[in-house]
Amino acid sequence: MLYQEEIETMSRKKLEELQLKRLQDTVKRVYRNVPFYQKKLLEQGITPDDVQTLTDIKKLPFTKKTDLRANYPFGLLAVSMKEVIRIHSSSGTSGKPTTVAYTKNDINHWAEIMARCIAACGGEPGGILHNAYGYGLFTGGLGIHYGSEKLGMATVPVSAGNTERQVMLIEDYKPTVITATPSYLLNIIETMDKLGIDPQNTSLQYGILGAESWSQEIRTHIEERLNIKAMDIYGLSEVMGPGVGIECKEVQNGLHIAEDHFLVEIIDPESLEPVPDGEEGELVFTSLTKEAMPVIRYRTGDIASIIPDPCQCGRTHKRISRIKGRIDDMLIIRGVNVFPSEIESALLQFEELVPHYQLIISREGALDKVTLKVEINEKIYKSINQNLEHDKIKHLTARIYRKIKNSCLISVETLVESPGSIPRSEGKAIRVLKLNEKHVKI
Ligand code: DLL
């Protein structure tokens, strides 16, 4: 269903006219109201009048997460605090969190964008949506919530955690749509198994999953286990929250960017030049309608590419590929670059394993060392009499090692563990554990 058909299928020409007008307004607003941006623009010898076409975006400075931290908490506000009606915050791996703020219009736009995302994924007015994203400072819970209500769905604000209760509510309320991180949904499926409930036979039809990177293989696994269609949703607090990009249920290939609200660029993270469509690079967003905390050319640290072909669903907004991972999460092992999602894809091919794993990065002299922890399923565990020294396990370990070496070109020490030994996620899974880094979670 198209929630805002006119906008979602707008011709490129009209869309670009709208984007230019909104870009010009945004640049004027930050130049006038945010000393940080005024200084940056002046340093580059630019005034808002220099933005005459969309390609003039290239003249504008980039914004990074460190800029948000340096201006913590409210230094980048473009409105007075009296106009702010919501504050969210995102966790980071070090130092202060980043804080974002919203005016009433910002919240309304976000709800509208999220409503069309949910509609693009099969949600309909009158249906029931089970929202298992965390509520709180994280943008997931409330972001989805407002969109779901706006669309007219009965929204169950269950939040993350208390997984047995989640299963009971799914059984009792019979929602058609579930929203959660993919790793938490895996946890919910596992809990259904434990409770003797058949995941194939719930009322669920669609999943809207994101907030962390997940491979196509995990998607297939979730779709088969739950007998649903699972769509990818992308977003980040600094730019808005969930809804910046959404897959459509018709095609399930690439995420449509809400281009009436965000200008998307993909750049080479080294040269900072745009890369051609179809090539991978770092996603950069400029907000076009945000009032409280607009961002200019925000470098997300996320790797994706533009899918140049028009989408068969009829939406004209550009699509990006699913996110390969964050630049910070890329492992560089003896000169080879690997994303955890690539290791995940390789692991999902082993029927003996459950889809949970952890990569532990430690230092060995000057080099990074990776240990991969995986978990066998109950059936195999029973068949080897719970003896992890069994030859079957040695053989499995060697096969996993070889598979990763062949498909990812790196050697990882592989540890096969008993069922349940890897911590289950209730939000964003911590798949990569860097032993020398402090992880600050809020
Ligand atoms: O995770 C917003 C969100 C909530 C998106 C619910 C989707 C659903 P942050 O906590 O600020 O915001 O984290 C943003 O999470 O830069 C990506 O690295 C990662 N991320 C978000 N969605 C995806 C996705 C929310 N679909 C950071 N695939 C982003 C891969 C994702 N990574």
Side-chain angles (χ1 to χ4, degrees), residues 2 13 125 133 193 205 218 235 252 295 317 323 328 372 399:
L2 289 149
K13 185 166 172 291
Y133 282 110
D193 287 338
Q205 294 176 16
I218 287 272
Q252 282 183 294
V295 279
H317 294 198
I323 310 287
D328 323 341
L372 168 67
R399 276 171 51 225

Side-chain angles (χ1 to χ4, degrees), residues 327-343:
I327 296 172
D328 323 341
D329 283 345
M330 188 174 76
L331 310 170
I332 307 178
I333 310 296
R334 290 168 211 248
V336 180
N337 301 349
V338 184
F339 283 95
S341 57
E342 294 170 282
I343 296 183

